[in-house]
């Protein structure tokens, strides 16, 4: 496996929705993980001819970046996430455990935590709504 091969693999991943890939070629193995947060899709309400479209919901969901076990707190003592808690963009709201590795899940907007849509230890899939943040 050459650097050009690795560059092609990374370019292919960046152009797709895949966030993690493992490639084995002979005696070489390569694992690539892209840290990108899926952007929420907010459906629009139908609009009349004389009024602009309005977002269906004001809450912005924080979505799971991969499939894994959800942890609402870090084992070393983060405080538990609660509704009404103020959060900033980029602030950790939960962790995703994949193969014993904890990855942070962060708020995508400033706001206040609304509904917590999952429980600690739940198996979540890519794009699953973890919490709702009200801007």
């Amino acid at each position: 496996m050459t650097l050009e091969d690795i560059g092609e693999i990374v370019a292919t991943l960046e152009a797709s929705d895949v966030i993690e890939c493992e490639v084995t070629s002979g005696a070489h193995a390569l694992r690539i993980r892209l840290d990108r947060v899926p952007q929420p899709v907010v459906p629009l309400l139908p609009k009349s001819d004389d009024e602009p479209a309005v977002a269906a919901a004001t809450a912005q969901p924080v979505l799971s970046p991969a499939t894994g076990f959800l942890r609402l707190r870090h084992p070393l003592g983060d405080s538990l996430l609660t509704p009404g808690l103020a959060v900033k963009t980029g602030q950790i709201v939960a962790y995703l455990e994949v193969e014993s590795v904890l990855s942070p899940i962060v708020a995508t907007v400033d706001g206040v935590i609304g509904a917590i849509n999952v429980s600690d230890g739940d198996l979540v899939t890519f794009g699953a709504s973890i919490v709702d943040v009200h801007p």
Side-chain angles (χ1 to χ4, degrees):
M1 188 176 309
T2 66
L3 287 177
E4 291 80 23
D5 295 335
I6 295 171
E8 288 180 28
I9 294 168
V10 170
T12 302
L13 288 175
E14 287 176 338
S16 72
D17 292 334
V18 176
I19 62 168
E20 190 169 347
C21 175
E22 186 171 339
V23 178
T24 304
S25 175
H28 300 96
L30 173 70
R31 178 179 287 173
I32 300 171
R33 180 181 174 147
L34 302 177
D35 288 330
R36 55 179 132 169
V37 177
Q39 296 300 314
V41 176
V42 179
L44 296 178
L45 294 174
K47 63 177 184 172
S48 69
D49 294 333
D50 50 307
E51 66 182 64
V54 178
T58 58
Q60 295 292 315
V62 175
L63 305 176
S64 174
T67 298
F69 292 99
L70 183 81
R71 303 296 177 206
L72 291 176
R73 68 170 65 187
H74 193 279
L76 297 178
D78 280 344
S79 60
L80 189 61
L81 187 68
T82 57
L85 179 70
V87 293
K88 298 277 186 195
T89 301
Q91 182 176 338
I92 297 171
V93 296
Y95 295 89
L96 190 66
E97 182 180 342
V98 179
E99 296 183 10
S100 300
V101 175
L102 291 176
S103 299
I105 299 173
V106 299
T108 53
V109 295
D110 293 349
V112 176
I113 298 295
I116 300 174
N117 303 318
V118 291
S119 298
D120 191 55
D122 282 357
L123 178 63
V124 295
T125 59
F126 172 79
S129 177
I130 305 299
V131 298
D132 294 330
V133 177
H134 296 275

